[in-house]
Amino acid sequence: RAFLYRLWKGNVSSRMLNPRLQKAMRDYVAANKHGVRFRGPREARRSRAELLCELRRRGRVRTLDGTEAPFSALGWRPLVPAVPLGQLHPRGLRSCAVVMSAGAILNSSLGQEIDSHDAVLRFNSAPTRGYEKDVGNKTTVRIINSQILTNPSHHFIDSSLYKDVILVAWDPAPYSANLNLWYKKPDYNLFTPYIQHRQKNPTQPFYILHPKFIWQLWDIIQENTKEKIQPNPPSSGFIGILIMMSMCKEVHVYEYIPSIRQTELCHYHELYYDAACTLGAYHPLLYEKLLVQRLNTGTQADLHRKGKVVLPGFRALRC
Ligand code: C5P
């Protein structure tokens, strides 16, 4: 539990992780699979207010709009939704929830509180059915990684999880964010199922995140971290937090920074144990969490008991 108490205070480093996770992190740094070349400064000691304004300036959500090569020539302009993600709620949402899939949310009884928000964001295949008491049942936005679209076991085409919600998909692209390279060699080919889904369900808002947005977030995490972080994209959790900060006046994040219920159970909906789910191996998750901890405006009691962090939305900032 000592680690948890230090995490709540923002006072941890990767050296406090177990040796297996430390080795995994080192191996990812050595592999540098996405060709990251970071040139910026590290550990800018920004204040909370400066950090928030930096996120607003450089962390604005961007999705593929079909105007850039190769997508322009492939006829994506009319394929993507006519209304951009940022304009779906032009007057902005008041209060929003981001519900992490962590096992620690089990037995939280947070369902009612989560559903009381104007919009709720969930991840990948995280269900609500059967878990309503702890996670609620409202879903407004669902972020899905490219494996959800390509792995038949997720039944992307017919599962009700992916209907009647705003869908936002992403796939790790090269750090250069060269769209031609990415299109030729995505991590998982999300482009074909995206086209098919758009043609079959033209009225459902469904976006693909722009690689520049994802790597911009990575840059901000690295700039504000002393250690060398994993050269891999931030987790869906961090991406989801930023999407809601763009759309809402206030964002309540549940079980990202773990509560007192912290567990090695990876997901609340799956019997699988791995500390890497909470602390990161591939994703720079520990560093994302330290950054979010620095931005928290909620109470310590909510952090400990609910695993809840409260963040201002971008429109609530005066920069
Ligand atoms: O595993 P998955 O990516 O679907 O989970 C959604 C997000 O929830 C992760 O990207 C991560 O940010 C967060 N998460 C967490 N701790 C866990 C499981 C998930 O912080 N144990």
Side-chain angles (χ1 to χ4, degrees):
R1 291 269 160 234
F3 184 83
L4 184 57
Y5 283 90
R6 298 186 70 143
L7 181 56
W8 288 340
K9 292 201 175 121
N11 185 21
V12 298
S13 84
S14 63
R15 277 167 314 206
M16 296 166 193
L17 299 176
N18 75 46
R20 180 180 66 90
L21 290 187
Q22 290 191 45
K23 169 144 191 344
M25 288 173 65
R26 280 197 305 272
D27 291 349
Y28 281 117
V29 170
N32 193 10
K33 178 176 173 193
H34 307 289
V36 171
R37 288 176 64 189
F38 179 71
R39 292 225 186 72
R42 238 155 62 186
E43 206 218 348
R45 291 299 286 129
R46 292 194 179 96
S47 69
R48 210 180 67 83
E50 286 169 336
L51 207 47
L52 284 166
C53 290
E54 187 70 10
L55 281 171
R56 181 168 91 161
R57 195 168 66 78
R58 292 166 61 206
R60 295 257 177 175
V61 180
R62 226 180 123 184
T63 60
L64 296 184
D65 62 5
T67 62
E68 293 170 281
F71 302 103
S72 43
L74 293 163
W76 276 50
R77 193 75 198 272
L79 184 77
V80 305
V83 182
L85 178 57
Q87 281 164 38
L88 281 180
H89 300 277
R91 305 177 65 218
L93 295 155
R94 195 177 48 79
S95 162
C96 297
V98 178
V99 184
M100 298 300 164
S101 310
I105 206 162
L106 282 180
N107 299 315
S108 67
S109 300
L110 284 167
Q112 260 193 0
E113 174 175 329
I114 288 168
D115 282 344
S116 74
H117 291 279
D118 300 324
V120 178
L121 181 145
R122 300 182 195 274
F123 297 93
N124 294 317
S125 60
T128 53
R129 215 163 130 199
Y131 300 94
E132 293 87 346
K133 192 170 145 294
D134 294 327
V135 307
N137 68 15
K138 181 192 280 190
T139 307
T140 317
V141 186
R142 195 173 278 277
I143 300 196
I144 51 180
N145 59 42
S146 45
Q147 293 170 57
I148 298 285
L149 286 104
T150 51
N151 187 331
S153 73
H154 289 294
H155 301 279
F156 175 64
I157 312 210
D158 37 67
S159 166
S160 61
L161 287 174
Y162 312 108
K163 292 196 175 33
D164 305 314
V165 296
I166 300 167
L167 286 176
V168 180
W170 73 280
D171 176 76
Y175 182 73
S176 65
N178 180 321
L179 300 183
N180 285 299
L181 283 182
W182 180 42
Y183 185 76
K184 273 193 220 129
K185 222 171 157 265
D187 211 16
Y188 293 86
N189 182 2
L190 75 172
F191 302 116
T192 310
Y194 178 76
I195 296 170
Q196 286 167 352
H197 192 279
R198 285 296 304 150
Q199 287 169 341
K200 258 210 237 148
N201 312 275
T203 58
Q204 181 176 16
F206 184 8
Y207 307 88
I208 295 181
L209 292 175
H210 199 295
K212 280 207 174 125
F213 165 64
I214 290 167
W215 287 112
Q216 195 96 297
L217 298 184
W218 185 92
D219 283 346
I220 298 174
I221 300 165
Q222 179 62 90
E223 281 167 30
N224 290 284
T225 304
K226 239 190 267 177
E227 297 183 61
K228 202 163 181 175
I229 74 172
Q230 294 95 316
N232 300 322
S235 74
S236 302
F238 190 78
I239 294 169
I241 291 169
L242 269 289
I243 289 179
M244 284 320 227
M245 285 173 85
S246 287
M247 295 174 63
C248 314
K249 226 173 151 196
E250 189 170 88
V251 182
H252 296 234
V253 183
Y254 296 93
E255 283 296 356
Y256 187 54
I257 313 288
S259 70
I260 196 73
R261 291 178 300 276
Q262 187 197 24
T263 162
E264 290 200 356
L265 181 65
C266 182
H267 294 129
Y268 64 82
H269 53 89
E270 212 171 39
L271 209 54
Y272 170 67
Y273 292 83
D274 186 349
C277 296
T278 306
L279 301 173
Y282 173 77
H283 297 292
L285 190 58
L286 179 64
Y287 306 109
E288 301 170 12
K289 292 187 181 194
L290 285 169
L291 198 64
V292 167
Q293 186 275 341
R294 277 164 69 185
L295 302 177
N296 185 18
T297 60
T299 66
Q300 287 299 302
D302 276 354
L303 180 61
H304 303 169
R305 289 204 298 263
K306 299 178 179 172
K308 176 163 98 164
V309 163
V310 182
L311 306 168
F314 291 153
R315 73 187 79 219
L317 298 175
R318 281 200 264 142
C319 295

